[in-house]
Structures are given as structure tokens and as C-alpha cells.
Amino acid sequence: MSVSVDTGHLSGRVGEDKVAIVVSGGYLSGTVGTTHVALTAAADSISGTVGEDDVAITVRPGALVGHVGPASVSLVVSKGLLSGTVGSEPVGVVVRKDYLSGKGDVLSAMLGAIVTHA
């Protein structure tokens, strides 16, 4: 994953998929490859859809827990690193003000973006 974070948008790649996301007022909308993403971030929750899957994540100090469709989400946020699992897939994303890099899926990129703008 290599995603640039610029004012109001994200661009780059997650695997072979091109990222084109608009970020505005706690809302992320756009595509990663052919997957449509629509997420709303509040102080204590993240909700919306990634493709056909519903997203419901609780934001706790230093952690994100919940689900994306049938996959459980268990992530820790510490010192610029988003790590844990989405379903059975490991996530390790370096989160900086102007970029995201590492290993993860579509949701990992979006959560990294939310963490960056929080």
C-alpha cells in the first residue's frame, strides 16, 4: 500500500488497485479499484460501506474494533502505526500526515486516512 494524503483527497495504490478518495468533513467517498467506499467518521465511531459490506467500528483510545461485513476488525493505533487484523488478514500501516504505507486492504487504507485526519 502506498497512498498519498493531500488536502481533501487520497491517491495512490492498495496492491494493484488505484485509490481515488475525497475527504471532507469526516466523510470519505470514492473508489479503490472497482470497490466503492463511503465512510463517515465521528469521534467515537466509523460507519458506512466498503463495496457491499456494511462497516460498524467503535473508536476507543488507541484502538478500533468492530466489523466490516462478516469480517471482524481489531486494530491498535500507536505511534503512527495501525496494526492488527481485518478478518484473518494482518494489517500493518504506517500513518503519517502526508502518506500511508504498508500492508493492508481497502479498509486499512481508509482507516489510516481517518486516523491521519483525526
Side-chain angles (χ1 to χ4, degrees):
M1 171 188 320
S2 178
V3 177
S4 294
V5 180
D6 198 0
T7 305
H9 69 275
L10 306 169
S11 60
R13 297 208 172 271
V14 174
E16 297 296 316
D17 295 329
K18 185 177 176 182
V19 175
I21 301 288
V22 174
V23 181
S24 177
Y27 186 72
L28 283 81
S29 178
T31 57
V32 178
T34 59
T35 303
H36 182 71
V37 175
L39 296 175
T40 301
D44 61 352
S45 66
I46 299 167
S47 61
T49 58
V50 173
E52 298 292 318
D53 293 329
D54 289 334
V55 175
I57 296 173
T58 300
V59 178
R60 296 183 179 150
L64 304 170
V65 294
H67 70 86
V68 177
S72 63
V73 174
S74 179
L75 299 168
V76 174
V77 182
S78 178
K79 297 181 182 178
L81 182 64
L82 183 66
S83 61
T85 57
V86 174
S88 61
E89 296 297 314
V91 172
V93 178
V94 175
V95 178
R96 297 287 183 250
K97 193 172 206 159
D98 59 350
Y99 74 92
L100 310 170
S101 64
K103 181 178 182 177
D105 59 6
V106 171
L107 179 69
S108 304
M110 299 313 98
L111 294 177
I114 290 168
V115 169
T116 300
H117 289 280

